[in-house]
Amino acid sequence: MKPVLLLVDLQNDFLRTRSLEPAAGKVIERASALLAGCRSSGIPVIHIWTTVRPGGEIYMPHWKRLEKMPCIDGTEGHAVPISLQPVRSEKIVHKAFFSAFEDGVLDNLLDSLKSDTILIAGLYLHGCIRATVLDAYQRGYKIFVAEDAVSSNDPLHSAVTRRYLEKRAADFIPVCDMLSFSGKKEENYMHGDNAPALLPAMVIADAPAEIGSSECFEHISPRGKNESLWRVPICGDKQVSEATSVAYESWLEWRDTPLSYRAEKLRCLSVLLEAESRELSEQMAYEIGKPVAYGEAEVARSIALLKAVSQHASDRLLRKCSTGSRLRYRPQGVIAAITPWNNPLAIPLGKIAPALIYGNTVVWKPALEASSIALRIMNLLKSAGCQPGTVNLVCGNRSTASALMYDERVDAVTLTGSLAAGYSAQDICAGRHIPLQAELGGNNASIVCSDYDLKEAALKVAEAAFGSAGQRCTANRRVIVMSRCYDDFLKHLIQKVRDLAWGDPIEQKTQVGPLISSASCSRVDAAVSRAMEGARDVFVPHRKTREYEELACTGMYYPPTIICCDDNLHEIVQEETFGPVLVVQRAIDWDHAVALCNGVKQGLVASVFTASKRMQKKFLNDAQAGILKINSATADAGVEEPFGGWKASGIGPPEHGVSDREFYTRTQTVYY
């Protein structure tokens, strides 16, 4: 393999596009890491720039129609960020249209380098990256696209493009894997006889099974950087097909079982969960770093969810209409459930339980980090007496999830994940004309008014922002404070954050544990570093404590960080950090506060702290989120009420409560 790196259109004019997904800062950081790795290992680098000559006529016709002329040669917008600037030995190829191959210059360079493999990062995936990949494919190159170092200002089009290219022309891999081409491999934690245990990759009809896959995921303990816990193989198309086939055959029988029978199985499962509460919470502490007290709360929430769903056994699935016809609620069939690692018990059971109660069967793909916990849940489902094949497990990655959603036997998809995962699922499910329910996180804000007890508000916000190291979709990401009480609130907030117990998740007192991985630590640290430029102040209350250095050295710990930033367009404000970072903003009046609250693309949870009934009513009228809270922070939600977000936070019906029947069944009208 003789690779060459192409950095495409990473120019300031393109990077300033507000609708970039992922955000410009993330793409720059990942592309810079890839560039540094290639330079250190001698992999050639070619910079591809869109260039419009001053006064020239050769540039994109659609720009002419829009009277738009970006990337004019010699301007600051034509240049690239400092970390991506070419060095003397690196070539620059200028282009006027989409493909980097448009005029033969790149062909000559690649021929002179005798390259056979192309690594690509840059903008935009649905435009210039796509055109360049297809032209490289036509020329016979092996192509790898850095999936975390490409971006687009049309995310759904980007998801469609990725699906198209993956099936034909290119492999999409993260920068950390691409760096292995340069000889920079991640640390290997397996040592001879001490290699971690190999988990079963799938559970089909209650039978765990190993597979012959050479690709494995190795899970490192969040509590200890050098402790490898286990490995699990990655399921592929064959394993997914086997799982969906069994699920379909099981559904033909399960759909005809009485509602009361299905409800009884869920009640049995809740009893088993209660008996194993301590063991499950400790497993979450060891394997995903969730503080054990929060793990116990998750078990309790899971039990409450099961009980709430069981009560729906009395729901009327057949009713008379005024015309004399009958309306029936029929099960969808086979449900694909795709779940994250941060709530490895409550989120899966919140999908599996209503799927089963309404007569569906399930194929479940958990996040890889939660594979061991998922296997334990499968054992509990078996012990509860669920029929074999009603719930089947396939462990795997993004490709596994895609194969599952594509499978013709899957009738509906329920997913909790990232915005990118949501766009990908939306593309696949729309193409197959099947229902999608997706919860895609939240950049949640609390508004603090001067008439509320500031100490109490600071305590609630601190716990909601930093509990579980901020790794929950309802975490308080932002707090918007009225200017007249801003300084007092900030003082109380810093003290309340300092008082939070930060440390080993296995200890009962711990509130802020580690992040899930070293990659997460690096990602959060990079986001904080990028925020320094636009922040007014940054506070790290634990930095001067005795535990700081010890924790940072032993595990995947990142200290709770407060960033004061009034620029609402800054990345740290606009993007969900999913870590122990809280953004504080000053509002000059109520209209400004609401504009800040609503001024992000997501809309899962919003809250207000005020004693005024009038202001509470204004908040309920003005806030754009699926869940609103009065005088409490954003974290947590009930189990019997619908849970879903507005805007980019959700697709399809909410989860839980009365919404379950809406998603897990389909209506059918029968005329007699």
Side-chain angles (χ1 to χ4, degrees):
M1 181 185 294
K2 295 182 179 179
V4 61
L5 172 63
L6 303 186
L7 295 177
V8 179
D9 287 349
L10 286 162
Q11 296 162 267
N12 291 326
D13 275 344
F14 295 136
L15 289 166
R16 290 179 182 135
T17 305
R18 279 196 61 189
S19 54
L20 279 183
E21 178 63 41
K26 297 177 183 178
V27 175
I28 293 169
E29 186 270 328
R30 290 284 75 205
S32 299
L34 178 59
L35 174 59
C38 289
R39 283 173 173 169
S40 67
S41 60
I43 291 178
V45 178
I46 300 175
H47 301 260
I48 312 296
W49 291 359
T50 294
T51 301
V52 176
R53 304 298 180 186
E57 286 297 318
I58 303 176
Y59 65 101
M60 298 279 196
H62 68 282
W63 288 348
K64 294 180 183 180
R65 291 194 300 271
L66 296 171
E67 297 183 351
K68 174 183 176 182
M69 192 181 289
C71 299
I72 297 176
D73 193 15
T75 66
E76 190 269 340
H78 178 257
V80 298
I82 293 174
S83 62
L84 295 170
Q85 288 181 355
V87 297
R88 186 183 298 272
S89 61
E90 295 169 356
K91 302 295 185 181
I92 302 173
V93 172
H94 298 276
K95 65 183 181 67
F97 299 99
F98 290 105
S99 175
F101 288 92
E102 67 183 34
D103 60 3
V105 174
L106 181 58
D107 285 302
N108 293 334
L109 283 174
L110 294 173
D111 287 344
S112 68
L113 293 169
K114 295 181 170 51
S115 297
D116 58 9
T117 302
I118 291 178
L119 316 179
I120 297 184
L123 307 176
Y124 299 116
L125 177 57
H126 70 280
C128 294
I129 299 292
R130 179 181 185 274
T132 300
V133 167
L134 290 176
D135 281 352
Y137 171 71
Q138 180 184 357
R139 289 160 170 77
Y141 291 100
K142 177 67 176 174
I143 306 157
F144 294 92
V145 178
E147 63 182 11
D148 49 347
V150 292
S151 188
S152 174
N153 61 353
D154 187 345
L156 184 55
H157 193 177
S158 177
V160 175
T161 298
R162 174 167 177 168
R163 171 174 57 83
Y164 180 84
L165 294 179
E166 280 183 314
K167 288 182 173 294
R168 295 165 176 82
D171 292 324
F172 283 69
I173 62 175
V175 166
C176 60
D177 289 347
M178 198 172 279
L179 287 174
S180 67
F181 299 149
S182 65
K184 290 181 170 293
K185 296 184 178 180
E186 297 204 32
E187 187 173 355
N188 190 340
Y189 294 93
M190 296 180 289
H191 302 285
D193 295 336
N194 295 323
L198 185 68
L199 302 181
M202 56 194 299
V203 179
I204 307 297
D206 288 351
E210 296 182 0
I211 62 175
S213 172
S214 59
E215 184 181 4
C216 282
F217 170 80
E218 183 176 0
H219 187 42
I220 310 303
S221 170
R223 299 171 64 242
K225 293 180 178 179
N226 296 316
E227 182 183 0
S228 181
L229 297 177
W230 40 259
R231 296 175 296 141
V232 64
I234 305 298
C235 286
D237 293 1
K238 179 182 178 181
Q239 290 76 36
V240 167
S241 180
E242 182 180 350
T244 57
S245 295
V246 170
Y248 176 76
E249 293 300 324
S250 299
W251 174 67
L252 297 176
E253 180 180 355
W254 180 256
R255 64 181 177 175
D256 293 327
T257 58
L259 267 172
S260 57
Y261 175 82
R262 303 172 207 158
E264 179 58 28
K265 301 308 173 188
L266 298 185
R267 283 191 283 268
C268 290
L269 179 59
S270 69
V271 172
L272 294 172
L273 284 176
E274 193 164 10
E276 296 196 21
S277 176
R278 184 65 191 181
E279 291 82 357
L280 282 165
S281 60
E282 288 182 350
Q283 185 175 1
M284 283 187 267
Y286 281 115
E287 296 193 5
I288 65 169
K290 173 169 283 192
V292 69
Y294 288 87
E296 291 170 349
E298 182 174 349
V299 177
R301 176 178 174 81
S302 302
I303 294 169
L305 276 166
L306 292 173
K307 291 180 178 178
V309 171
S310 297
Q311 291 171 359
H312 291 295
S314 61
D315 282 357
R316 293 172 59 193
L317 299 184
L318 175 66
R319 66 180 181 86
K320 293 181 180 179
C321 301
S322 60
T323 59
S325 59
R326 299 289 188 271
L327 180 62
R328 305 199 301 172
Y329 295 92
R330 304 293 292 161
Q332 293 280 6
V334 177
I335 306 293
I338 301 168
T339 61
W341 56 263
N342 62 321
N343 288 294
L345 192 65
I347 290 179
L349 291 179
K351 299 177 186 294
I352 291 170
L356 296 181
I357 202 74
Y358 287 114
N360 304 279
T361 56
V362 178
V363 179
W364 172 27
K365 194 218 77 74
L368 283 165
E369 296 87 345
S371 297
S372 177
I373 296 171
L375 288 165
R376 184 165 187 163
I377 294 173
M378 293 298 294
N379 285 332
L380 291 172
L381 285 164
K382 179 180 179 180
S383 299
C386 290
Q387 293 181 8
T390 53
V391 181
N392 305 275
L393 177 76
V394 288
C395 296
N397 54 19
R398 181 189 180 278
S399 296
T400 312
S402 294
L404 179 57
M405 291 187 287
Y406 269 121
D407 193 285
E408 62 183 9
R409 287 169 290 261
V410 167
D411 298 291
V413 174
T414 176
L415 174 149
T416 300
S418 65
L419 289 178
Y423 284 120
S424 178
Q426 196 171 18
D427 166 39
I428 295 171
C429 293
R432 294 195 54 229
H433 301 285
I434 61 173
L436 169 64
Q437 177 191 68
E439 192 275 288
L440 306 174
N443 191 357
N444 313 303
S446 290
I447 299 174
V448 178
C449 299
S450 58
D451 64 348
Y452 195 81
D453 184 325
L454 298 182
K455 283 187 179 180
E456 181 179 338
L459 174 61
K460 291 179 178 179
V461 169
E463 291 176 344
F466 299 113
S468 291
Q471 298 174 122
R472 44 186 176 173
C473 58
T474 58
N476 232 125
R477 307 284 177 210
R478 300 174 292 139
V479 58
I480 298 157
V481 188
M482 294 300 181
S483 57
R484 63 186 298 181
C485 63
Y486 180 91
D487 292 336
D488 287 342
F489 176 82
L490 183 59
K491 178 182 65 176
H492 293 309
L493 178 65
I494 293 170
Q495 183 57 52
K496 296 303 181 184
V497 173
R498 184 177 290 116
D499 293 341
L500 293 176
W502 182 40
D504 193 337
I506 202 63
E507 295 181 6
Q508 191 72 33
K509 67 177 183 179
T510 298
Q511 296 169 281
V512 187
L515 293 175
I516 186 65
S517 66
S518 59
S520 289
C521 286
S522 298
R523 174 183 55 77
V524 172
D525 188 57
V528 172
S529 296
R530 293 193 298 272
M532 295 294 189
E533 183 178 343
R536 185 171 0 96
D537 288 299
V538 177
F539 300 96
V540 187
H542 289 86
R543 178 162 285 160
K544 295 182 180 179
T545 62
R546 182 182 59 189
E547 298 91 351
Y548 177 80
E549 292 296 335
E550 180 180 347
L551 287 172
C553 290
T554 58
M556 318 303 185
Y557 294 90
Y558 195 87
T561 302
I562 300 168
I563 298 177
C564 301
C565 181
D566 292 334
D567 178 5
N568 206 46
L569 299 182
H570 197 289
E571 178 195 336
I572 199 65
V573 178
Q574 288 293 316
E575 299 296 317
E576 181 185 13
T577 309
F578 209 74
V581 176
L582 175 65
V583 177
V584 183
Q585 294 183 279
R586 186 195 305 264
I588 57 175
D589 57 24
W590 176 258
D591 289 341
H592 185 211
V594 169
L596 293 174
C597 178
N598 294 336
V600 297
K601 57 192 168 188
Q602 292 169 298
L604 182 57
V605 192
S607 78
V608 68
F609 291 91
T610 178
S612 167
K613 297 297 183 183
R614 183 179 67 86
M615 299 308 294
Q616 292 174 12
K617 184 177 180 180
K618 283 181 66 64
F619 172 75
L620 296 178
N621 285 335
D622 296 341
Q624 298 173 359
I627 301 169
L628 302 182
K629 294 188 170 187
I630 305 295
N631 294 336
S632 66
T634 63
D636 300 324
V639 299
E640 297 193 29
E641 292 74 37
F643 181 94
W646 288 12
K647 301 190 291 187
S649 286
I651 302 170
E655 298 177 320
H656 310 327
V658 296
S659 297
D660 283 340
R661 189 175 69 179
E662 181 182 353
F663 177 71
Y664 290 101
T665 68
R666 63 184 82 189
T667 58
Q668 188 175 61
T669 305
V670 181
Y671 291 89
Y672 292 92

